[in-house]
Amino acid sequence: MESVDSPAQYDARSFGEFIRAHDKQLRGVAWSVVRDRHQTDDVMQAAYEKAFRALPGFDGRSTMSTWLHSIVYRTALDHLRYEGRRRHDDVDDLRNLGGGGGDSAAAGGVGRVELDAVMGQLGPEDRTALMLVAGWGYSYDDAAEILGEARGTVASRVSRARRRLERWEQ
Amino acid sequence: MTDHRDHDDELGAFLRSEVPEPGAGYWDGIDAMLRRVEDERADDAAPFEAAPSAPETGEPGLTAVPPVTEESLGRVHTDENVIRLTDMTTNTTGLPARNRGNVLVLAAAALIAVLGLGAIFTILSGDPSTTIDADFADDGTPGPTTPAPDDGDDGSPAEGDGAATTDAVSPGSVWLYAPEIIEREEFPRPFLAIGDDAEPYDGQIWASVLIATGEEGPFNDDTWAEFDGLGQPDIWLPLSTLVQQAEGLPPVEPSLVEVIADTSTPPEAFANGVPAIGTVISSTGIRAEFDGEPWILIDDPDFPYFIEESVVAATSLTGGNVGGRRCYSDGVVTYTFEFSADGGTFTGWQVPVGFADDADGLPAADLPFAPGGELLQTLSGVVTVPEEDRYQVLESSVAAEAGGFGRYSTSSWVISADFMTTPTAGEEQVYNAVGCDGPVADDLAPVEATYDNFPGEDVRPSTTAAIETVPGVNRSCYTDGAFILALDFTDDGRNFNAIQTGRVATFSGTGDVDGSDFIVTELVFGDQENGRVTIAYANWDVTPDRAVVSEIGAGAITYDGIDCAEVADDVTQAEDFLGALVYPTYPSR
């Protein structure tokens, strides 16, 4: 699916198959930004719609996956800022004070919750950069393309996030 | 590196496991959305056919709008300095239905005051006298001036708002652009873009505004700002799905845009306009330019990192800047600044630190913040300039830049060096270098300012050099690895003349030898025209065959005009003599 002759070949079914195959990683990007399970779902749906609508204009300069990651990331940032501007306080925010929100985090014990909290203290851009590079193994170049940032900036974000986590470990 | 990999294995597993599974109905909703979009695509066969809204079904209606084509760019009509805009969302644009009918007003003062565009931008709903005419109801008609409350927490206006305001700006005066155009990033510059996110909130209308000023290219080159109805800028970085270019407007001044986006820089720093690039604008901010992009550096020890993409923080910028060279690093990128004699301007460059272009793409190592740590090192080595990459990490994690002047990094510190000649791709060259690591304490200005080419190829790769005393010769040489201090003592050992090599200045002074302590109260470099260095004090432990620098204090140094090459002989000469050095422990004062 990565190398299609024409993006227009994607119909709802084939595009749905594609995003199903990549959803976990893509969700990782959205999650890294918004840190809320329900908002992650919202972001993903919005991003997928945006991508599917924009698909005919996809020029293939990047891989489909990278392109999708970029859309998810920007949609998530958009969503986060939108929510922040609305000064939106709800139960989810309180629930997320300890980070997490994922089931696995909740089941991981105190240390994991604390690590979640540390993650929550990182900026969304840093978290996403870390997720891409450390979580999914993207190269700095690919992560930079997804995040729309310079390679050095991404590397800096990852390094900074690592240091924060390392300090926590100590 | 190994540590990082191990750490990343564990961290990566944690990160991946942290991603929550989608909720129930997630895929059902997405599949339905995809089918809906696909249906809409089919409808696009007749894209300009106006269709009535369908409030009874809650489905989006269509409003006749011009075709969305690139030729439409710049076709915004202005009328008495008024830009008319409504985010009439139709199938043609492919915009989400949730924003349809939103009409916003941006106070003219907002853009006048902040952008200085000199024009009034008011976004109206068709009737210029109308300030707010938003339709947030579900009935397909223009809505009340007070929107219905949001019915959810999903970040969207009230659900079901599917109708465009049919009494809005007439078609032809508003041009809408589809997201795919944005994705292709095909925009001329400059242009002003209004986001589709306008909505009333807290008694105001909010919208995102994109001011694109750079060359055509990625959006991250541009600046997003948000304005509320009262003209207060805010930082909000939405992805706009509605873009409009205002043709004929005065070009947006890029630097002004940058100021808008930069909240970390004290506003007073720009009170008299935007300073030129390379100007120290305040004790806490420097406006710089790297790689053709503006940067603002701020002085915030508590946040010594990137603030925004275009902002990098440096540690203390106060003190020690005059005529000096300073290096800052956030652990990945090191920034070097060379200040003018008056401290008012600088030139700077950035150096990626410790990048290993190996398979995993991880940095070779972090550059630790080590204020007060070892400040200077020298290196010699061989650099292979890669064919394509600007930098390459070699075995010793030394990276090179293709150019006459090289900046390199290792896993623990950064060096600056001069190539003997400009290296070419694939060529191996011997270089000589002096390095400095990250943040440098203010009281070490003379040391960190040391930046001279060591003539010749033999530069000791050590910060600690022990030079044996040559009996009967009253010259003692000391080095901290960056420069060599040669002292020619008088026979009584109480006075000396000195030559400092590496920094290429001569100096003279007096000192007292009292048992094991040789105290230099002040050394003034001799070349007053070119520079003056005052070493407030230095404590030397002197024995017949060994001198140990135990402490050294430092003042400021200016070195404009000093010619490094003149001291080549002195280096050799000094090494022929004597001296010993224990790398000084720099006091933290």
Side-chain angles (χ1 to χ4, degrees), chain B residues 114-115 193 207-211 223-227 233-238 257 260-261:
Chain B
V114 182
L115 299 179
S208 59
V209 177
L210 168 65
I211 305 133
T223 301
W224 292 86
E226 183 185 32
F227 300 87
D234 193 3
I235 298 302
W236 185 38
L237 307 177
V257 173
I260 292 170

Side-chain angles (χ1 to χ4, degrees), chain B residues 41 60 84 87 140 146 148 159 272 308 336 385 538 568 573:
Chain B
R41 278 183 182 170
R84 292 180 171 184
D87 55 346
T146 301
E159 288 295 331
N272 298 318
E308 291 286 351
T336 302
V385 181
Q573 185 178 4

Side-chain angles (χ1 to χ4, degrees), chain B residues 78 80-83 111-112 115-121 188-193 210-213 245-254 256-257:
Chain B
T78 59
E80 296 180 351
N81 289 332
V82 171
I83 299 174
L111 295 175
I112 292 177
L115 299 179
L117 294 177
I120 299 174
F121 298 85
R189 265 55 165 192
F191 74 91
L192 180 69
L210 168 65
I211 305 133
T213 59
Q245 180 191 4
E247 185 181 46
L249 296 176
V252 178
E253 178 61 41
L256 286 174
V257 173

Side-chain angles (χ1 to χ4, degrees), chain B residues 463-511:
Chain B
T463 58
T464 301
I467 305 174
E468 294 298 322
T469 300
V470 178
V473 177
N474 292 325
R475 167 171 287 191
S476 294
C477 298
Y478 310 93
T479 180
D480 62 356
F483 62 93
I484 295 173
L485 183 67
L487 301 180
D488 290 329
F489 291 95
T490 58
D491 290 340
D492 61 5
R494 301 183 65 86
N495 299 289
F496 64 88
N497 295 312
I499 299 172
Q500 182 193 30
T501 63
R503 186 169 293 162
V504 203
T506 60
F507 61 93
S508 62
T510 60

Side-chain angles (χ1 to χ4, degrees), chain B residues 98 337 369 393:
Chain B
R98 70 183 193 187
F337 299 91
F369 274 103
V393 177

Side-chain angles (χ1 to χ4, degrees), chain B residues 298-567:
Chain B
I298 68 169
D299 181 10
D300 183 355
D302 294 329
F303 199 63
Y305 305 113
F306 292 96
I307 305 300
E308 291 286 351
E309 182 181 347
S310 60
V311 178
V312 61
T315 54
S316 178
L317 298 176
T318 58
N321 291 333
V322 176
R325 171 169 294 186
R326 303 182 68 83
C327 301
Y328 308 96
S329 176
D330 65 354
V332 174
V333 180
T334 292
Y335 303 87
T336 302
F337 299 91
E338 193 168 277
F339 292 87
S340 64
D342 62 2
T345 62
F346 69 93
T347 57
W349 54 89
Q350 62 180 121
V351 186
V353 176
F355 283 163
D357 292 331
D358 52 13
D360 64 5
L362 297 174
D366 288 339
L367 171 64
F369 274 103
E374 291 184 345
L375 298 175
L376 293 173
Q377 295 205 34
T378 59
L379 268 190
S380 62
V382 177
V383 172
T384 299
V385 181
E387 292 289 341
E388 297 179 356
D389 296 336
R390 191 177 181 190
Y391 301 97
Q392 184 180 40
V393 177
L394 303 180
E395 291 181 1
S396 59
S397 298
V398 175
E401 179 191 38
F405 180 78
R407 276 84 65 179
Y408 317 95
S409 64
T410 72
S411 60
S412 60
W413 44 275
V414 177
I415 61 173
S416 299
D418 287 332
F419 284 110
M420 297 301 103
T421 60
T422 300
T424 58
E427 177 186 5
E428 289 188 351
Q429 278 211 2
V430 174
Y431 64 85
N432 302 293
V434 175
C436 64
D437 68 358
V440 181
D442 287 341
D443 58 346
L444 297 170
V447 177
E448 59 93 5
T450 298
Y451 166 71
D452 289 308
N453 179 31
F454 266 70
E457 299 179 354
D458 181 20
V459 178
R460 281 177 294 278
S462 170
T463 58
T464 301
I467 305 174
E468 294 298 322
T469 300
V470 178
V473 177
N474 292 325
R475 167 171 287 191
S476 294
C477 298
Y478 310 93
T479 180
D480 62 356
F483 62 93
I484 295 173
L485 183 67
L487 301 180
D488 290 329
F489 291 95
T490 58
D491 290 340
D492 61 5
R494 301 183 65 86
N495 299 289
F496 64 88
N497 295 312
I499 299 172
Q500 182 193 30
T501 63
R503 186 169 293 162
V504 203
T506 60
F507 61 93
S508 62
T510 60
D512 293 323
V513 176
D514 181 13
S516 60
D517 296 326
F518 181 83
I519 300 173
V520 178
T521 55
E522 184 177 61
L523 299 178
V524 178
F525 279 44
D527 191 343
Q528 296 294 321
E529 290 183 0
N530 290 331
R532 174 189 177 92
V533 172
T534 300
I535 299 177
Y537 67 95
N539 292 329
W540 307 75
D541 296 328
V542 179
T543 63
D545 60 353
R546 182 177 177 84
V548 176
V549 179
S550 60
E551 191 176 20
I552 189 169
I557 178 174
T558 58
Y559 59 95
D560 290 349
I562 294 176
D563 183 1
C564 302
E566 292 177 358
V567 296

Side-chain angles (χ1 to χ4, degrees), chain A residues 52 81-82 104 112 116 140 156, chain B residues 17-18 41 155 199 236 361:
Chain A
F52 191 47
R81 285 153 179 157
Y82 183 93
S104 57
R112 190 178 182 96
D116 270 341
Y140 282 116
S156 177
Chain B
S17 68
E18 202 190 30
R41 278 183 182 170
E199 69 164 329
W236 185 38

